[in-house]
Amino acid sequence: MNKVRRMERIVAISKQLTDRPCHLYSFGYFCQEFDVAKSTLSEDMNVIKAGLELFNLGTLETVAGAAGGVRYLPFRYSDNVQQMFMELAVKLAEPERIIPGGFLYMSDILFTPHLMAQVGEVFMTRFADCCPDYIMTVETKGIPLAFMTARAFGLPLVTVRRGSKVTEGSAVSINYVTGSAKRIQTMSLPKRALPPGAKVLIIDDFMKAGGTAKGMIDLAHEVGAKVVGTGVLVATSEPEQKLVDDYLALLILHHVDEYHKKTDIRPGKLWYSVQGGGTGV
Amino acid sequence: MNKVRRMERIVAISKQLTDRPCHLYSFGYFCQEFDVAKSTLSEDMNVIKAGLELFNLGTLETVAGAAGGVRYLPFRYSDNVQQMFMELAVKLAEPERIIPGGFLYMSDILFTPHLMAQVGEVFMTRFADCCPDYIMTVETKGIPLAFMTARAFGLPLVTVRRGSKVTEGSAVSINYVTGSAKRIQTMSLPKRALPPGAKVLIIDDFMKAGGTAKGMIDLAHEVGAKVVGTGVLVATSEPEQKLVDDYLALLILHHVDEYHKKTDIRPGKLWYSVQGGGTGV
């Protein structure tokens, strides 16, 4: 009986920890919730940590001290990450995804929860050292990916709007130039969305010239925030010189041949340094 | 050693199952992944199911037969759901949320992952019997909530755009009238987003007159899909007669007093029937 109860407890603790990545749970919380001593709980945590690590499902981090506790970190390092992006590239290269104008239809992938959950965890793994306070994106298609990145970090998401909305109160707006259409557009952020000094990680689904990302960086600076990183799911290889110097692209779109219905898209170099000028392919 | 390994395996299986709600994993998958016999795995599943149910964290469902397997259902029934919406109502009633025009600032809540994860699971619990194939929403602020509902269902999300976008290919558009501003607007859906006959659950963050929800229902019908339910996080009590007959609202906004900075918002009746005319408060 005692043995069964311990296993059930371990299932329940695992579920709660992994359900809310990066959230620091105090030991006291679990001791009370499950009516166990701290020493017993420590043993449970060792088992959970071992189980997660053994199967490449992330890890637990214990924080010592009065304000301490334990949190789940959804790190994704293993070979199957590379495999996942290979598969994603194959999927994105399907001929029926090519839209007149040389665009790729990506919405179905961008709105599939379990895929975006995985990509969000990859961004979290890659940008964990930057210690952001907020994840930032711009509407619309990048929202689920940015939201799942925010979930993996245990952070709130801030969404920049195109134009400004009456239902969000006073806002800061900037003009920016989209690289593809060379059109001047407006983007805005509610004043209350970011406190001054906040560290921001920018996540978006697609980058061509980098105008939209540049706009978000300018907007973040405008409200006194600091941009600590920029990540996109797909970046085009051309133009090589983007308006943003420093970014991580998980997939590189080399070429879309509308006539022959062929798309050349490949994983970027995930675990290399991206300092000073894109991922390099 | 054997005992420890079993616990580690249970941690890893729990994590994989709960990470992807409603996804049917074959027993063969786990037998291979963890190198165990099916009988051993069945015992593991019993432990996981008991652990989840004992602490109100959802349940496992076993599907028999050749195409069978096991899946995690994130049902949320317990008293702490009512408690959660009480707390959410208190948070939304904070005076500084009132925006000129009598709107409420909700973006910070709508973009907080662990809150939307919970609300998504409540929608899943409430609409599970409708067996949708897709979750549908309209840009922008409802996307995270709809996406987390899609995650809880293990389904893809379909996002209606305001206007139509060149990067999504040919689209079906309709005009609709927003209830609040009585303005005619356009919303569109890529043709390929929904197959004919698909069963659609509509999720949005806010409903006043119901014009936007009505627009989505019309758009769904236009592409040959069937709407099996409509859920919103917040609905206003006025107008009582919405443009949509049948919807579930988790919170009811009764009144915003801009002058005295007072907001009256309360949980709706979560577990009552909503057939024929709103939640009734």
Side-chain angles (χ1 to χ4, degrees), chain B residues 4 7 41 55 68 85 114 118 135 146 152 186 197 249 252 263:
Chain B
V4 172
M7 287 212 268
L41 193 68
F55 298 99
F85 285 105
H114 74 95
Q118 293 177 48
I135 310 301
T186 303
I252 310 290
T263 302

Side-chain angles (χ1 to χ4, degrees), chain A residues 24-45:
Chain A
L24 191 67
Y25 286 91
S26 72
F27 283 111
Y29 168 77
F30 286 123
C31 289
Q32 197 169 7
E33 184 90 349
F34 298 101
D35 194 19
V36 287
K38 211 184 143 183
S39 55
T40 310
L41 193 68
S42 287
E43 285 169 36
D44 289 355
M45 293 303 170

Side-chain angles (χ1 to χ4, degrees), chain A:
Chain A
M1 179 61 186
N2 213 15
K3 198 181 115 198
V4 172
R5 296 222 44 198
R6 182 178 182 206
M7 287 211 270
E8 290 167 354
R9 185 176 68 232
I10 283 178
V11 167
I13 295 176
S14 299
K15 162 70 175 146
Q16 287 193 49
L17 282 168
T18 58
D19 226 20
R20 205 171 160 184
C22 293
H23 178 72
L24 191 67
Y25 286 91
S26 72
F27 283 111
Y29 168 77
F30 286 123
C31 289
Q32 197 169 7
E33 184 90 349
F34 298 101
D35 194 19
V36 287
K38 211 184 143 183
S39 55
T40 310
L41 193 68
S42 287
E43 285 169 36
D44 289 355
M45 293 303 170
N46 288 341
V47 169
I48 296 172
K49 186 176 163 137
L52 292 170
E53 289 183 355
L54 208 54
F55 298 98
N56 273 316
L57 297 166
T59 187
L60 295 190
E61 183 185 59
T62 304
V63 178
V70 60
R71 68 177 140 219
Y72 167 63
L73 302 175
F75 289 143
R76 288 192 168 253
Y77 284 117
S78 58
D79 290 345
N80 56 30
V81 168
Q82 197 69 27
Q83 179 62 28
M84 178 187 124
F85 285 105
M86 291 297 290
E87 287 169 16
L88 213 48
V90 169
K91 218 174 152 100
L92 284 168
E94 292 160 357
E96 59 273 21
R97 292 190 175 275
I98 300 175
I99 287 169
F103 297 101
L104 283 191
Y105 184 77
M106 293 169 51
S107 298
D108 57 334
I109 289 170
L110 293 173
F111 288 107
T112 298
H114 74 97
L115 291 177
M116 291 306 106
Q118 292 177 48
V119 180
E121 288 176 359
V122 170
F123 275 135
M124 183 271 172
T125 306
R126 203 52 189 69
F127 286 112
D129 292 343
C130 303
C131 302
D133 305 314
Y134 289 83
I135 309 301
M136 186 195 249
T137 194
V138 64
E139 58 185 349
T140 297
K141 285 187 296 183
I143 293 177
L145 171 56
F147 193 69
M148 292 317 263
T149 307
R151 179 175 184 271
F153 268 110
L155 293 176
L157 174 66
V158 165
T159 303
V160 174
R161 307 292 296 262
R162 305 189 195 266
S164 98
K165 308 292 162 193
V166 287
T167 55
E168 299 196 284
S170 54
V172 181
S173 297
I174 61 150
N175 295 320
Y176 69 105
V177 181
T178 56
S180 39
K182 298 267 182 218
R183 261 192 314 148
I184 293 182
Q185 295 192 285
T186 304
M187 56 166 77
S188 71
L189 190 65
K191 268 194 183 156
R192 63 177 93 194
L194 280 180
K199 286 183 287 175
V200 167
L201 171 64
I202 290 173
I203 297 291
D204 209 356
D205 56 320
F206 197 84
M207 183 189 289
K208 193 168 180 183
T212 305
K214 173 84 166 41
M216 279 192 271
I217 293 171
D218 291 346
L219 194 50
H221 290 163
E222 199 63 43
V223 297
K226 185 171 176 252
V227 175
V228 295
T230 302
V232 294
L233 177 58
V234 180
T236 55
S237 57
E238 294 292 332
E240 203 181 323
Q241 187 60 53
K242 312 282 191 209
L243 294 170
V244 176
D245 282 336
D246 203 1
Y247 66 94
L248 171 71
L250 302 181
L251 293 164
I252 310 289
L253 179 59
H254 292 272
H255 188 62
V256 178
D257 181 341
E258 267 191 86
Y259 185 75
H260 296 97
K261 296 265 173 207
K262 285 221 160 93
T263 302
D264 180 6
I265 182 168
R266 289 174 255 158
K269 288 182 180 167
L270 288 191
W271 313 117
Y272 286 55
S273 167
V274 291
Q275 296 305 311
T279 50
V281 202

Side-chain angles (χ1 to χ4, degrees), chain B residues 200-214:
Chain B
V200 167
L201 171 64
I202 290 174
I203 298 291
D204 208 355
D205 56 322
F206 197 85
M207 183 189 288
K208 194 170 177 181
T212 305
K214 174 82 166 40

